């Protein structure tokens, strides 16, 4: 289908390879969801559980917070380590955290699976080097005013220490626009996919600054080819100690996870080769089919009600033949017999369910 020629991975760098954070791969065929509250705070273990249940596969666990306002909550510091350990234990998920200073790294590495260099620290080359030397995966966020070249140069500081486990994270840049916290540079995604073999993820939370905009920016990022999303999520965002306005609920996170899977299934070809990989991809396709079938059944239900009210006949064999012929054209591998078999079953099921509900 035409859509497969639009896929961002078609322009992917020839040496692109995934980076592993614990068991989670960033840069494979799936979009990795990293999520959790902005900061580790009392209650973090419950927050982590809710985030994991919503479908995240890596947790945010920041105990040190770079805050613009010195009077704001600065993070739990070393007091948060126990919470990190417990969250990792109960969810079984890997955790990433941000060191603000070189001294934080030696301790943090005992409690987390990956390090994040925040936007404010992207230019801190000694910190980049120290993070690199742990050998752990390092997420390098883009500074608010960094060009792609400056950002890639920061990533090279990690690579040149012999650590190739680097992930780039776009989090919005500072522009003249003040309606959003930052301006998400979606263009960076396809450009970087051609220019570097490093996976690229997107943080829609710090770009938007408002929870209601996070789903749209997440979908834009995935459609543009992002390998992952870093999203702030809090089960009780009103009481979040940090960045409360931009934290989405676990329910919204689960919807983003589901929509992301659908978008990936529809817009990116599967690179699966082994039986297990193919089965995973087939499961994704079946989930997409299920969503579409539900939607089709609902629409058929609306048509049936209109027909019943008008006293018109329910079945329209000519229309059914047209529908089947269109599917046969769009899915040539099915062949016309295959398309007829599938669509007869689909149409019958939709009509029967609609009638039962009418
Ligand atoms: C964060 O992700 O915790 C953060 C502070 O974001 P940024 O460094 O992108 O501002
Ligand atoms: Mn935040």
């Amino acid at each position: 289908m035409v859509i497969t020629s639009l896929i961002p991975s078609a322009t992917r760098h020839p040496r692109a390879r995934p980076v592993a954070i614990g068991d989670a791969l960033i840069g494979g065929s799936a979009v990795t969801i990293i999520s959790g509250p902005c900061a580790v705070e009392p209650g973090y273990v419950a927050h982590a559980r809710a985030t994991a249940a919503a479908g995240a596969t890596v947790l945010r666990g920041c105990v040190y917070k770079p805050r613009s306002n010195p009077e704001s909550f600065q993070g739990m510091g070393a007091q948060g380590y126990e919470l990190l350990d417990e969250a990792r234990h109960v969810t079984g998920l890997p955790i990433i955290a941000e060191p603000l200073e070189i001294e934080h790294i030696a301790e943090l590495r005992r409690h987390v699976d990956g390090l994040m260099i925040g936007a404010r620290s992207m230019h801190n080359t000694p910190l980049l080097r120290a993070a690199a030397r742990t050998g752990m995966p390092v997420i390098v966020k883009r500074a608010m005013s960094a060009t792609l070249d400056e950002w890639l140069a920061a990533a090279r500081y990690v690579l040149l220490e012999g650590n190739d486990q680097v992930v780039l994270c776009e989090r919005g840049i500072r522009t003249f626009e003040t309606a959003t916290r930052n301006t998400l540079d979606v263009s960076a995604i396809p450009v970087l996919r051609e220019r570097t073999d490093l996976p690229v993820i997107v943080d829609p939370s710090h770009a938007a600054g408002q929870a209601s905009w996070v789903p749209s920016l997440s979908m834009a990022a995935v459609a543009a080819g992002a390998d992952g999303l870093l999203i702030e999520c809090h089960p009780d965002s009103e009481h979040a100690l940090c960045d409360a306005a931009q934290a989405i609920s676990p329910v919204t996170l689960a919807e983003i996870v589901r929509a992301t899977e659908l978008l990936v299934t529809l817009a990116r070809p599967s690179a699966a080769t082994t039986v297990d990989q193919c089965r995973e991809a087939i499961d994704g396709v079946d989930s997409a089919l299920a969503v579409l079938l539900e939607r089709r059944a609902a629409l058929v239900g609306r048509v049936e009600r209109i027909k019943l009210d008008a006293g018109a006949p329910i079945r329209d064999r000519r229309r059914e033949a047209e529908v089947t012929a269109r599917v046969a054209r769009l899915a040539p591998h099915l062949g016309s017999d295959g398309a007829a078999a599938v669509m007869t079953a689909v149409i019958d099921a939709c009509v029967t369910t609609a009638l039962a509900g009418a």
Side-chain angles (χ1 to χ4, degrees):
M1 262 181 73
V2 190
I3 205 162
T4 49
S5 64
L6 292 176
I7 332 128
S9 53
T11 55
R12 196 159 198 156
H13 194 280
R15 287 192 308 277
R17 54 183 166 62
V19 167
I21 301 185
D23 290 338
L25 270 194
I26 304 187
S29 45
V31 171
T32 309
I33 309 287
I34 306 171
S35 190
C38 177
V40 170
E41 47 185 89
Y44 177 71
V45 177
H47 305 160
R49 262 188 216 276
T51 308
T57 52
V58 182
L59 296 171
R60 279 178 63 94
C62 297
V63 289
Y64 301 106
K65 291 307 306 172
R67 303 304 301 275
S68 305
N69 183 344
E71 276 92 36
S72 305
F73 174 61
Q74 303 287 312
M76 290 182 73
Q79 287 182 339
Y81 290 149
E82 237 177 85
L83 295 174
L84 289 181
D85 295 344
E86 199 182 336
R88 192 151 66 158
H89 178 69
V90 301
T91 63
L93 295 184
I95 302 186
I96 58 149
E98 175 176 357
L100 293 184
E101 299 170 20
I102 292 178
E103 293 67 49
H104 294 158
I105 293 177
E107 281 196 0
L108 259 188
R109 64 179 301 183
R110 299 208 298 269
H111 307 279
V112 300
D113 306 270
L115 299 173
M116 173 170 87
I117 301 299
R120 288 158 193 78
S121 299
M122 189 207 88
H123 295 290
N124 185 342
T125 53
L127 187 66
L128 286 165
R129 284 207 184 102
R133 284 196 293 270
T134 61
M136 299 173 91
V138 180
I139 297 176
V140 179
K141 296 190 93 176
R142 182 183 190 176
M144 6 253 178
S145 304
T147 63
L148 296 189
D149 281 334
E150 289 163 343
W151 185 14
L152 286 169
R156 277 207 307 285
Y157 271 90
V158 182
L159 296 170
L160 288 173
E161 291 297 320
N163 183 344
D164 63 359
Q165 299 295 292
V166 182
V167 175
L168 298 166
C169 179
E170 159 64 33
R171 44 77 74 200
I173 50 177
R174 183 163 286 181
T175 67
F176 54 81
E177 183 55 74
T178 54
T180 45
R181 181 170 176 177
N182 290 287
T183 299
L184 182 66
D185 182 11
V186 179
S187 321
I189 307 162
V191 175
L192 287 175
R193 290 180 78 100
E194 288 184 12
R195 284 183 49 185
T196 170
D197 55 350
L198 303 175
V200 179
I201 65 171
V202 168
D203 170 351
S205 308
H206 291 88
Q210 182 173 306
S212 62
W213 301 328
V214 168
S216 304
L217 297 192
S218 301
M219 291 302 101
V222 174
D227 294 302
L229 296 170
L230 171 65
I231 302 180
E232 290 187 348
C233 170
H234 196 294
D236 177 23
S237 63
E238 268 178 49
H239 297 107
L241 295 183
C242 189
D243 284 349
Q246 69 197 33
I248 61 168
S249 67
V251 171
T252 305
L253 181 66
E255 283 172 10
I256 292 175
V257 170
R258 198 129 184 261
T260 296
E261 284 165 2
L262 281 177
L263 199 50
V264 168
T265 300
L266 290 174
R268 299 187 194 179
S270 171
T273 48
T274 65
V275 169
D276 282 348
Q277 288 168 348
C278 288
R279 284 187 170 161
E280 203 183 319
I282 289 170
D283 289 347
V285 171
D286 289 344
S287 306
L289 275 175
V291 170
L292 295 175
L293 286 170
E294 276 287 302
R295 199 167 291 174
R296 190 181 198 286
L299 289 166
V300 168
R302 277 184 227 168
V303 171
E304 305 301 90
R305 268 189 296 281
I306 296 169
K307 285 181 173 177
L308 280 174
D309 288 347
I314 297 291
R315 304 290 295 236
D316 177 345
R317 302 290 172 185
R318 211 182 62 176
R319 159 94 185 141
E320 291 174 15
E322 280 166 15
V323 165
T324 303
R326 179 174 339 98
V327 170
R329 264 199 321 280
L330 290 171
H333 289 102
L334 270 186
S336 50
D337 287 350
V342 170
M343 291 316 292
T344 303
V346 167
I347 292 169
D348 283 349
C350 287
V351 171
T352 315
T353 355
L355 282 178

